[in-house]
Amino acid sequence: HQHGAVGHVPMGGMAGGMGVQTHQHGAVGGVTMGGGAGGCSCAGCLGSGGCVSGSCYGEQVGTGAMAFVGFGVGDWVTETTYKFVGGGRGDLSIVTPTKRNFMPCLALVAILVLGVVGVLLMATPAASTTMKSGVVPQPQAKECVFWGDPHLVTFDGARPSFYGDGEYWIVRNDLVKIQGRFMGTKYTFGLAATQKVAVGGPFIGNHVIVVQPMEKEFGGSILVDGEPVLAQYGTYSVGGFANLTYDGVGELPDMAASQWTKNIVHMYLPQGVSLTVYRWGNYMDLRIKMAPLRGGQDGSCGNFNGDPADDTTQAIFERVGVRVGQGEMLFKNRATIVFTPEMEDMLRTNCPAQDLLASREHCQKELPQEASTIQMNSCLFDWCFGMNEHALRTAKTYATPEERVALGVQ
């Protein structure tokens, strides 16, 4: 090359010495060098500055690449790139081709992608877990418990009370139906306790199981489709749909009853539903365990939606009615309602006038038109005092001293 020229120099075998293609100043061209007969052979001068009298000179600064040059002239030659390095130090030197390193860029892109994916996973943990595992969390089973006159805790933890006589929905669902008969006793001055429980519906093939207290005056039997079963401890299958076990084993919901002999009915029912009924002389305690039912549910045990605030006595009445409707009864007949003088005095004296008026409007809407005065008063009592779980304490104050002494009630 001329001074300052930059060119490309392929080297290969050439007959008869060193061949050079020259270029003008500043031009870009090629120099072909080849070792041939009687000439300078620079085939081994990889990375050297040049060739003088068949010897290499200059400083090696890099490596070259191999290029095929065709048949008959040698298979491969080394191909390098040259540049001018200044006067007095030779005309040309080898320049190693620059290699681009993309690894830092790829690493940065990978870090950014991982960061974005991490943010998305943290934003939707439930969905990610479901997608990875394929497991959908199952609803949690909880208990609804009745004891005493009656005290009650719903599936959601609310504490409504139902003091009037009559038949009530405990759990109402399209498939699962549980009803209770709440009736007053002389020991509660007419305020109702759980007297009977009935279970039916398509989930047990429309069979009906009824459990009554121990005393004959209040039934004294366990019935399946109206027929007595389990007159003593044992087990019984209800048409292959449900199993009953009758024994004296079970944790009491009310330790005040621990002084009496245990007579406990365990019902093992479809859909994970179980009932434990504690039979006493003239009333019963009750424990129901289940997960939320498909299609929803409601009744004295609440709607099982996780919110105890909407399980008030009044809210439950507005959703399912104040009593079991005509044509929906699992019991064969309705009970005769009693409204005691103590309850009359309490309703007249302790229910504020505006509450009593609002209660009457609701009861007139919910009860059939032919409802008697006693039925109306029983409904009014629930509306006025349903969220007072200790109404018995007030009712006692309206009993005569002679009545309290006779009953052993202080």
Side-chain angles (χ1 to χ4, degrees), residues 224-310:
V224 174
D225 298 329
E227 297 298 323
V229 300
L230 295 174
Q232 56 189 354
Y233 287 174
T235 60
Y236 184 86
S237 176
V238 182
F241 292 94
N243 291 309
L244 309 182
T245 298
Y246 185 35
D247 58 28
V249 180
E251 181 183 356
L252 298 178
D254 182 11
M255 293 307 298
S258 60
Q259 58 184 311
W260 302 320
T261 301
K262 294 180 182 178
N263 294 281
I264 304 174
V265 180
H266 308 268
M267 300 187 195
Y268 304 100
L269 309 171
Q271 299 191 29
V273 178
S274 66
L275 275 75
T276 307
V277 185
Y278 306 81
R279 303 174 68 202
W280 309 118
N282 62 347
Y283 78 104
M284 301 186 304
D285 295 329
L286 173 66
R287 192 188 302 272
I288 304 172
K289 187 173 183 179
M290 65 173 65
L293 298 172
R294 287 187 178 182
Q297 64 194 79
D298 220 321
S300 301
C301 282
N303 55 16
F304 210 166
N305 67 347
D307 181 11
D310 60 8

Side-chain angles (χ1 to χ4, degrees), residues 137-153:
Q138 296 299 312
Q140 182 180 0
K142 294 185 179 180
E143 286 189 338
C144 175
V145 184
F146 293 72
W147 74 98
D149 54 351
H151 298 292
L152 166 62
V153 178

